[in-house]
Protein backbone atom coordinates (compact mmCIF):
# COMPACT_ATOMS: atom_id res chain seq x y z
CA UNK A 1 0.00 0.00 0.00
CA UNK A 2 1.37 3.40 -0.96
CA UNK A 3 1.77 6.16 1.63
CA UNK A 4 -1.04 8.06 -0.08
CA UNK A 5 -3.33 5.04 0.34
CA UNK A 6 -2.31 4.69 3.99
CA UNK A 7 -3.29 8.29 4.56
CA UNK A 8 -6.67 7.83 2.88
CA UNK A 9 -7.44 4.69 4.90
CA UNK A 10 -6.28 5.96 8.28
CA UNK A 11 -6.87 9.69 7.99
CA UNK A 12 -3.45 10.11 9.62
CA UNK A 13 -0.74 11.63 7.38
CA UNK A 14 1.96 10.03 9.53
CA UNK A 15 0.43 6.55 9.63
CA UNK A 16 2.74 3.63 8.94
CA UNK A 17 5.88 5.70 9.46
CA UNK A 18 7.09 4.35 12.80
CA UNK A 19 9.84 2.26 11.26
CA UNK A 20 12.73 1.22 13.56
CA UNK A 21 15.94 2.93 12.48
CA UNK A 22 14.13 5.40 10.22
CA UNK A 23 15.15 9.09 10.21
CA UNK A 24 13.41 11.28 12.76
CA UNK A 25 13.93 14.57 10.91
CA UNK A 26 12.15 15.92 7.84
CA UNK A 27 13.10 14.81 4.36
CA UNK A 28 14.93 17.63 2.57
CA UNK A 29 13.99 17.98 -1.10
CA UNK A 30 16.21 20.16 -3.29
CA UNK A 31 14.94 21.87 -6.44
CA UNK A 32 17.61 23.21 -8.81
CA UNK A 33 17.78 24.39 -12.41
CA UNK A 34 18.56 27.36 -14.65
CA UNK A 35 16.96 30.80 -14.23
CA UNK A 36 13.35 30.96 -15.40
CA UNK A 37 12.62 27.26 -15.59
CA UNK A 38 9.83 27.54 -13.01
CA UNK A 39 11.43 26.23 -9.82
CA UNK A 40 9.33 28.47 -7.56
CA UNK A 41 6.15 27.60 -9.45
CA UNK A 42 6.98 23.90 -9.19
CA UNK A 43 7.45 24.23 -5.41
CA UNK A 44 4.14 26.09 -5.20
CA UNK A 45 2.48 23.25 -7.11
CA UNK A 46 3.94 20.64 -4.74
CA UNK A 47 2.81 22.65 -1.72
CA UNK A 48 -0.73 23.00 -3.07
CA UNK A 49 -0.92 19.27 -3.73
CA UNK A 50 0.48 18.07 -0.40
CA UNK A 51 -0.03 20.75 2.27
CA UNK A 52 -3.40 19.35 3.32
CA UNK A 53 -1.88 15.97 4.20
CA UNK A 54 1.75 16.76 5.12
CA UNK A 55 3.60 19.36 7.18
CA UNK A 56 5.76 21.32 4.73
CA UNK A 57 8.30 24.15 4.89
CA UNK A 58 10.37 25.95 2.25
CA UNK A 59 13.82 27.54 2.10
CA UNK A 60 14.52 29.74 -0.94
CA UNK A 61 17.92 30.90 -2.20
CA UNK A 62 18.56 34.17 -4.04
CA UNK A 63 21.86 36.01 -4.37
CA UNK A 64 20.76 39.49 -3.27
CA UNK A 65 16.97 39.39 -2.79
CA UNK A 66 14.13 37.41 -1.22
CA UNK A 67 12.13 37.47 -4.47
CA UNK A 68 11.33 33.75 -4.58
CA UNK A 69 10.20 33.68 -0.95
CA UNK A 70 7.93 36.69 -1.55
CA UNK A 71 6.44 34.96 -4.63
CA UNK A 72 5.59 31.84 -2.62
CA UNK A 73 4.17 33.82 0.28
CA UNK A 74 1.99 35.85 -2.09
CA UNK A 75 0.79 32.63 -3.72
CA UNK A 76 -0.65 31.57 -0.37
CA UNK A 77 0.55 27.97 -0.66
CA UNK A 78 1.74 27.80 2.97
CA UNK A 79 1.68 29.82 6.17
CA UNK A 80 4.17 32.62 5.32
CA UNK A 81 6.20 31.79 8.43
CA UNK A 82 6.96 28.39 6.92
CA UNK A 83 8.82 30.04 4.01
CA UNK A 84 12.31 31.36 4.82
CA UNK A 85 14.61 33.19 2.38
CA UNK A 86 18.38 32.80 2.25
CA UNK A 87 20.45 35.48 0.52
CA UNK A 88 23.62 33.74 -0.57
CA UNK A 89 25.55 36.87 -1.60
CA UNK A 90 27.64 34.73 -3.96
CA UNK A 91 27.43 32.12 -6.69
CA UNK A 92 24.36 29.93 -6.07
CA UNK A 93 26.60 26.85 -6.10
CA UNK A 94 28.27 28.02 -2.91
CA UNK A 95 25.32 27.78 -0.53
CA UNK A 96 23.87 24.53 -1.89
CA UNK A 97 27.05 22.57 -2.50
CA UNK A 98 30.29 24.08 -1.21
CA UNK A 99 29.33 25.52 2.19
CA UNK A 100 25.74 24.54 2.97
CA UNK A 101 25.72 25.87 6.56
CA UNK A 102 23.27 28.73 6.00
CA UNK A 103 20.76 26.42 4.32
CA UNK A 104 21.15 23.69 6.91
CA UNK A 105 20.51 26.19 9.69
CA UNK A 106 17.42 27.53 7.91
CA UNK A 107 16.05 24.00 7.44
CA UNK A 108 16.76 23.02 11.05
CA UNK A 109 15.13 26.21 12.35
CA UNK A 110 11.97 25.46 10.34
CA UNK A 111 11.90 21.90 11.62
CA UNK A 112 12.24 23.12 15.20
CA UNK A 113 9.66 25.89 14.86
CA UNK A 114 6.96 23.76 13.19
CA UNK A 115 7.74 20.25 14.45
CA UNK A 116 6.93 17.73 13.22
CA UNK A 117 7.77 18.71 9.63
CA UNK A 118 7.52 16.06 6.94
CA UNK A 119 9.35 17.77 4.05
CA UNK A 120 11.54 20.86 3.79
CA UNK A 121 11.80 21.99 0.17
CA UNK A 122 15.02 23.88 -0.62
CA UNK A 123 15.08 25.94 -3.81
CA UNK A 124 18.43 26.74 -5.38
CA UNK A 125 19.13 30.17 -6.74
CA UNK A 126 18.73 30.19 -10.52
CA UNK A 127 21.92 28.82 -12.04
CA UNK A 128 23.28 27.01 -15.06
CA UNK A 129 23.32 23.33 -15.97
CA UNK A 130 26.12 22.48 -13.52
CA UNK A 131 24.21 23.23 -10.30
CA UNK A 132 23.63 20.32 -7.92
CA UNK A 133 22.96 20.02 -4.19
CA UNK A 134 25.38 18.47 -1.75
CA UNK A 135 23.97 15.26 -0.24
CA UNK A 136 24.96 16.82 3.09
CA UNK A 137 22.13 19.31 2.50
CA UNK A 138 19.34 17.41 0.72
CA UNK A 139 18.18 13.82 0.68
CA UNK A 140 16.47 13.95 -2.71
CA UNK A 141 16.88 16.41 -5.56
CA UNK A 142 14.91 17.53 -8.61
CA UNK A 143 16.49 19.25 -11.60
CA UNK A 144 14.14 21.47 -13.60
CA UNK A 145 14.25 22.39 -17.30
CA UNK A 146 11.49 24.05 -19.27
CA UNK A 147 10.40 23.70 -22.89
CA UNK A 148 10.70 27.45 -23.44
CA UNK A 149 14.46 27.07 -22.93
CA UNK A 150 14.64 25.00 -26.11
CA UNK A 151 14.14 21.36 -26.94
CA UNK A 152 17.88 20.79 -27.33
CA UNK A 153 18.86 21.83 -23.80
CA UNK A 154 18.16 18.37 -22.38
CA UNK A 155 20.85 16.95 -24.69
CA UNK A 156 23.46 19.35 -23.35
CA UNK A 157 23.84 17.17 -20.26
CA UNK A 158 25.43 18.07 -16.96
CA UNK A 159 25.23 16.37 -13.56
CA UNK A 160 21.75 17.60 -12.65
CA UNK A 161 20.18 16.57 -15.95
CA UNK A 162 21.95 13.22 -15.96
CA UNK A 163 21.88 12.14 -12.33
CA UNK A 164 19.45 14.09 -10.14
CA UNK A 165 16.78 11.87 -8.58
CA UNK A 166 14.16 13.38 -10.90
CA UNK A 167 14.29 15.51 -14.05
CA UNK A 168 11.23 17.70 -14.55
CA UNK A 169 10.50 19.05 -18.03
CA UNK A 170 8.36 22.01 -17.01
CA UNK A 171 5.77 24.17 -18.84
CA UNK A 172 4.91 21.42 -21.32
CA UNK A 173 1.79 23.34 -22.38
CA UNK A 174 4.07 25.93 -24.04
CA UNK A 175 5.51 23.41 -26.49
CA UNK A 176 3.30 24.35 -29.47
CA UNK A 177 4.04 28.05 -28.97
CA UNK A 178 7.84 27.70 -28.97
CA UNK A 179 8.11 24.97 -31.64
CA UNK A 180 9.34 22.31 -29.22
CA UNK A 181 8.44 18.64 -29.55
CA UNK A 182 7.70 17.93 -25.90
CA UNK A 183 7.47 14.15 -26.28
CA UNK A 184 10.87 14.08 -27.98
CA UNK A 185 12.36 16.26 -25.22
CA UNK A 186 11.05 13.89 -22.54
CA UNK A 187 12.26 10.85 -24.49
CA UNK A 188 15.74 12.32 -24.93
CA UNK A 189 15.79 13.17 -21.23
CA UNK A 190 15.22 9.52 -20.41
CA UNK A 191 17.99 8.52 -22.80
CA UNK A 192 20.46 10.98 -21.25
CA UNK A 193 19.48 9.77 -17.78
CA UNK A 194 19.72 6.08 -18.70
CA UNK A 195 16.25 5.29 -17.41
CA UNK A 196 16.18 7.55 -14.34
CA UNK A 197 12.78 9.23 -13.81
CA UNK A 198 11.62 12.09 -16.04
CA UNK A 199 8.24 13.79 -15.66
CA UNK A 200 6.74 16.36 -18.00
CA UNK A 201 4.76 18.89 -15.95
CA UNK A 202 2.21 21.58 -16.69
CA UNK A 203 0.13 23.41 -14.13
CA UNK A 204 -2.75 22.99 -16.60
CA UNK A 205 -2.42 19.20 -16.70
CA UNK A 206 -3.82 17.49 -13.57
CA UNK A 207 -2.39 14.12 -14.63
CA UNK A 208 1.15 15.50 -14.64
CA UNK A 209 0.61 17.10 -11.23
CA UNK A 210 -0.64 13.78 -9.88
CA UNK A 211 2.48 12.04 -11.23
CA UNK A 212 4.73 14.62 -9.56
CA UNK A 213 2.81 14.31 -6.29
CA UNK A 214 3.12 10.52 -6.36
CA UNK A 215 6.87 10.74 -7.01
CA UNK A 216 7.32 13.01 -3.97
CA UNK A 217 5.21 10.68 -1.81
CA UNK A 218 7.17 7.64 -2.98
CA UNK A 219 10.44 9.44 -2.20
CA UNK A 220 9.18 10.23 1.29
CA UNK A 221 8.23 6.59 1.80
CA UNK A 222 11.72 5.52 0.75
CA UNK A 223 13.37 8.12 3.00
CA UNK A 224 11.32 7.09 6.01
CA UNK A 225 12.02 3.41 5.46
CA UNK A 226 15.54 4.01 6.74
CA UNK A 227 17.07 2.57 3.56
CA UNK A 228 17.25 5.67 1.38
CA UNK A 229 20.72 6.83 0.35
CA UNK A 230 21.16 10.42 -0.84
CA UNK A 231 22.77 10.45 -4.28
CA UNK A 232 25.50 12.93 -5.12
CA UNK A 233 25.12 13.83 -8.82
CA UNK A 234 28.81 14.69 -8.61
CA UNK A 235 30.95 16.61 -11.09
CA UNK A 236 30.13 17.07 -14.74
CA UNK A 237 29.96 13.78 -16.62
CA UNK A 238 32.76 13.03 -19.10
CA UNK A 239 32.08 14.54 -22.52
CA UNK A 240 33.80 14.61 -25.91
CA UNK A 241 34.98 17.76 -27.68
CA UNK A 242 34.87 18.22 -31.45
CA UNK A 243 38.55 17.26 -31.75
CA UNK A 244 37.90 13.93 -30.03
CA UNK A 245 39.30 15.00 -26.65
CA UNK A 246 37.57 13.31 -23.72
CA UNK A 247 37.05 15.93 -21.01
CA UNK A 248 36.56 14.62 -17.46
CA UNK A 249 36.18 16.19 -14.00
CA UNK A 250 36.06 12.85 -12.18
CA UNK A 251 37.16 12.95 -8.57
CA UNK A 252 37.55 16.73 -8.73
CA UNK A 253 40.44 16.43 -11.20
CA UNK A 254 40.47 18.20 -14.54
CA UNK A 255 41.70 15.71 -17.10
CA UNK A 256 41.97 15.61 -20.90
CA UNK A 257 42.58 12.41 -22.84
CA UNK A 258 43.03 12.06 -26.59
Amino acid sequence: MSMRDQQMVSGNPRAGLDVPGAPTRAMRLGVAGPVGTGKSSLIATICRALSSSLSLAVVTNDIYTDEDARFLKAAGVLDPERIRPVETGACPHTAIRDDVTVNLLAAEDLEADFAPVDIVLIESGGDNLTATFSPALVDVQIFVLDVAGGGDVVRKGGPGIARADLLVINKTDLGPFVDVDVERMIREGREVRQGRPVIGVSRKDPESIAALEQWVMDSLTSFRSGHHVAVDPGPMAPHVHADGTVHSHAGGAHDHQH
Side-chain angles (χ1 to χ4, degrees):
M1 182 182 292
S2 72
M3 181 178 298
R4 190 65 167 172
D5 291 337
Q6 290 173 10
Q7 292 171 358
M8 293 175 68
V9 170
S10 68
N12 178 1
R14 304 185 68 82
L17 301 179
D18 297 326
V19 179
T24 56
R25 63 168 175 80
M27 182 180 84
R28 295 167 189 158
L29 171 58
V31 181
V35 174
T37 53
K39 297 184 295 298
S40 298
S41 295
L42 190 77
I43 288 174
T45 297
I46 292 171
C47 290
R48 288 190 188 97
L50 296 177
S51 60
S52 63
S53 57
L54 295 175
S55 175
L56 306 177
V58 178
V59 177
T60 65
N61 280 248
D62 281 300
I63 297 178
Y64 297 121
T65 73
D66 61 352
E67 179 72 23
D68 291 335
R70 286 190 282 117
F71 165 81
L72 290 169
K73 290 177 181 180
V77 295
L78 292 177
D79 174 350
E81 292 300 315
R82 288 177 174 260
I83 301 169
R84 304 275 171 89
V86 167
E87 295 182 29
T88 64
C91 170
H93 286 183
T94 302
I96 67 167
R97 186 165 186 88
D98 302 326
D99 181 358
V100 301
T101 305
V102 66
N103 274 292
L104 277 177
L105 290 174
E108 290 171 357
D109 285 348
L110 283 164
E111 290 181 54
D113 290 347
F114 297 99
V117 176
D118 296 300
I119 303 176
V120 177
L121 297 103
I122 302 177
E123 179 185 355
S124 167
D127 207 344
N128 56 35
L129 298 180
T130 66
T132 60
F133 288 88
S134 167
L137 175 60
V138 303
D139 305 293
V140 183
Q141 50 188 297
I142 298 173
F143 198 82
V144 186
L145 299 176
D146 72 302
V147 299
D152 63 334
V153 70
V154 72
R155 299 193 299 271
K156 296 181 183 294
I161 291 176
R163 297 187 293 272
D165 297 278
L166 174 68
L167 175 65
V168 166
I169 307 296
N170 205 15
K171 310 178 190 177
T172 56
D173 54 296
L174 298 182
F177 302 100
V178 292
D179 295 325
V180 169
D181 183 337
V182 173
E183 291 304 316
R184 177 181 176 181
M185 191 174 180
I186 293 172
R187 183 177 67 252
E188 290 178 341
R190 293 194 174 112
E191 292 169 358
V192 169
R193 289 172 55 76
Q194 300 179 337
R196 295 180 182 89
V198 179
I199 299 178
V201 174
S202 167
R203 289 183 296 171
K204 299 180 180 180
D205 177 13
E207 186 175 340
S208 72
I209 302 305
L212 176 65
E213 177 183 0
Q214 188 61 57
W215 182 87
V216 174
M217 297 299 289
D218 290 344
S219 297
L220 184 58
T221 299
S222 176
F223 172 75
R224 281 181 162 156
S225 73
H227 301 296
H228 175 79
V229 177
V231 175
D232 184 356
M236 184 177 293
H239 52 283
V240 181
H241 290 265
D243 64 357
T245 301
V246 178
H247 187 179
S248 174
H249 295 266
H254 190 106
D255 183 39
H256 290 82
Q257 298 178 4
H258 291 277

